[in-house]
């Protein structure tokens, strides 16, 4: 059962197809476990998708320790293929990560960048035994990584569009309620619309309240109470 490491400062919002990439890599001969580490440029999002508890621990460890193959690939965008973790150079490069990976039973790692139009979106990590992952399968992982990067970029773009639309809707809703309050005050106090709006704005500023909140109170609240109550009729 794949493990998804929950982000500490970002909700895990990755789509199911992206998650399945890590699982699919397990079908490649020689791969023992795999994981995806996502990034916002050079900064990791601390979002982990892994196919085993051990792989999940190693992916999160790279974020916590700021070292490891995925971490390096997220910085450089350069493929790291069949890196022997017991090699003294790997031990010197990743003094805390490499021993932990060996303790989990993996002697080598291959990290493939997730890139789309020059943007680094993360890295795909494959844990295996040294010399047990053939070059052809590494090439297949690169194709998978390119597809995954495209899906991630598409997902991020759709998220930005949805956020922008939500902001526009909020602005529109605010404008509508303010215009309603302005018209209601103009009728209630027998003022020109612009003067009604000026009074509404002055009232909100004097009380350090949002203009939309005051406008909502004027429109939805009782006419005889709250901001600008209806004047008593002349006797």
């Amino acid at each position: 059962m794949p493990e998804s490491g929950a982000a500490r400062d970002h909700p895990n919002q990755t789509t199911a197809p992206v998650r399945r990439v890590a699982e699919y890599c397990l079908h490649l001969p020689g791969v023992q476990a795999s994981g995806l580490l996502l990034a916002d440029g050079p900064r990791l999002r601390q979002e982990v998708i892994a196919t085993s508890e051990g792989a999940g621990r190693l992916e999160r460890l790279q974020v916590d320790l700021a070292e490891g193959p995925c971490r390096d690939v997220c910085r450089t965008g350069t493929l790291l293929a069949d890196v022997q973790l017991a090699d003294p150079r790997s031990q010197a490069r990743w003094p805390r990560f490499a021993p932990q990976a060996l303790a989990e039973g993996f002697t080598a790692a291959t990290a493939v960048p997730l890139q789309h139009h020059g943007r680094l979106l993360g890295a795909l990590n494959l844990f295996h035994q040294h010399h047990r992952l053939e070059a052809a399968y590494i090439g297949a992982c690169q194709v998978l990584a390119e597809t995954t990067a495209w899906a991630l970029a598409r997902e991020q773009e759709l998220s930005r569009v949805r956020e922008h639309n939500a902001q526009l809707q909020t602005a529109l809703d605010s404008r509508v309620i303010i215009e309603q309050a302005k018209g209601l005050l103009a009728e209630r106090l027998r003022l020109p619309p612009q003067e009604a709006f000026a009074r509404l704005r002055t009232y909100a500023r004097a009380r350090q309240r949002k203009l939309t909140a005051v406008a909502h109170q004027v429109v939805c609240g009782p006419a005889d109470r709250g901001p600008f109550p209806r004047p008593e009729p002349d006797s």
Side-chain angles (χ1 to χ4, degrees):
M1 189 73 177
E3 174 199 30
S4 296
R8 281 197 292 268
D9 58 349
H10 289 269
N12 197 327
Q13 299 176 334
T14 311
T15 59
V18 174
R19 294 172 185 271
R20 284 198 292 269
V21 171
E23 298 175 58
Y24 180 81
C25 289
L26 278 181
H27 297 290
L28 297 176
V31 176
Q32 295 173 280
S34 62
L36 285 168
L37 201 58
L38 306 184
D40 289 326
R43 191 177 74 85
L44 297 184
R45 284 170 54 183
Q46 297 195 16
E47 182 171 344
V48 173
I49 303 166
T51 57
S52 73
E53 291 185 3
R57 282 192 292 270
L58 291 175
E59 295 300 314
R60 286 189 290 274
L61 193 65
Q62 294 183 79
V63 176
D64 294 338
L65 300 180
E67 66 174 61
C70 266
R71 180 76 181 189
D72 285 4
V73 165
C74 286
R75 288 170 175 158
T76 66
T78 303
L79 169 73
L80 293 176
D82 195 20
V83 180
Q84 186 178 1
L85 297 172
D87 188 288
R89 289 170 296 183
S90 298
Q91 296 281 326
R93 185 176 185 177
W94 307 311
R96 293 171 291 179
F97 171 83
Q100 185 61 43
L102 290 169
E104 294 284 356
F106 309 124
T107 65
T110 292
V112 184
L114 304 179
Q115 294 189 89
H116 180 70
H117 291 171
R119 287 179 58 207
L120 270 170
L121 302 175
L124 167 64
N125 214 17
L126 308 175
F127 296 105
H128 52 92
Q129 299 300 306
H130 187 44
H131 287 327
R132 294 293 298 275
L133 186 61
E134 297 181 13
Y137 296 129
I138 295 176
C141 288
Q142 288 180 289
V143 173
L144 280 173
E146 290 174 3
T147 304
T148 303
W150 176 87
L152 284 170
R154 174 77 172 171
E155 183 180 84
Q156 291 174 4
E157 182 60 31
L158 288 174
S159 178
R160 283 192 290 268
V161 169
R162 285 192 293 266
E163 183 179 355
H164 180 64
N165 287 344
Q167 291 172 349
L168 289 177
Q169 186 62 52
T170 299
L172 178 60
D173 293 343
S174 297
R175 189 63 191 172
V176 167
I177 195 71
I178 290 170
E179 288 296 322
Q180 289 176 336
K182 183 172 76 173
L184 190 151
L185 282 184
E187 180 275 330
R188 180 183 296 176
L189 304 180
R190 298 178 183 178
L191 297 172
Q194 287 307 111
E195 185 175 343
F197 174 74
R199 291 198 184 187
L200 189 69
R201 183 175 55 190
T202 300
Y203 182 95
R205 286 178 175 174
R207 291 157 180 79
Q208 297 184 339
R209 297 182 61 191
K210 290 184 177 180
L211 183 59
T212 51
V214 175
H216 187 273
Q217 189 176 0
V218 169
V219 172
C220 301
D224 58 342
R225 295 193 306 275
F228 312 105
R230 186 183 298 278
E232 293 291 335
D234 297 332
S235 303

